[in-house]
Amino acid sequence: MLGVPTVAAQLAIVAHAPDSATACEAIEVSIAVSSSGAAVPRVTPPSFRPFDLLRNSAWPRVQRSRLSRTGFLPEYRYTITTDRIGTFTLPPFEASVG
C-alpha cells in the first residue's frame, strides 16, 4: 500500500473595517491572511452589493510573516461606498493557498 503525502496549510485571516459609516462615505476594508506555507495566499472577495467598489489593491502588499520563515502575510485593501441608508453586512471573504 502506498501512502499519499498530505500537506496541511494553515491560514489566519484578520479583517478591519469601521463598525458604522454614513451614506456616501468611503469605507476602507482591509484583509490580511497569514500562511505558514511557501505559496502566497489568495483572497476572493464577496459581492459587495449594495456597496460600490471604488478601488482595490490589485496586487496585494506581501511581506514575510514573522511567525514563520516560509510564510507570507499579504494584505488586500478595498474601498467601498453606498448611497443607501440602513444596516448592511458584507458576506465572508474566502482565502486559499495553492
Side-chain angles (χ1 to χ4, degrees):
M1 182 190 274
L2 293 175
V4 177
T6 59
V7 176
Q10 292 185 348
L11 298 175
I13 302 172
V14 176
H16 292 278
D19 290 335
S20 61
T22 60
C24 300
E25 179 180 355
I27 303 165
E28 185 171 292
V29 178
S30 66
I31 308 295
V33 183
S34 74
S35 72
S36 59
V40 177
R42 291 184 313 263
V43 168
T44 304
S47 167
F48 288 111
R49 290 186 183 162
F51 296 94
D52 295 316
L53 181 63
L54 299 176
R55 64 184 163 267
N56 68 328
S57 58
W59 300 101
R61 184 186 70 156
V62 178
Q63 67 183 29
R64 286 278 187 190
S65 173
R66 292 182 181 157
L67 302 176
S68 171
R69 293 182 185 171
T70 60
F72 291 95
L73 183 64
E75 183 177 1
Y76 298 80
R77 293 183 181 271
Y78 305 90
T79 304
I80 59 176
T81 191
T82 186
D83 59 356
R84 292 187 173 180
I85 297 173
T87 301
F88 307 104
T89 303
L90 290 175
F93 287 75
E94 185 177 307
S96 61
V97 174

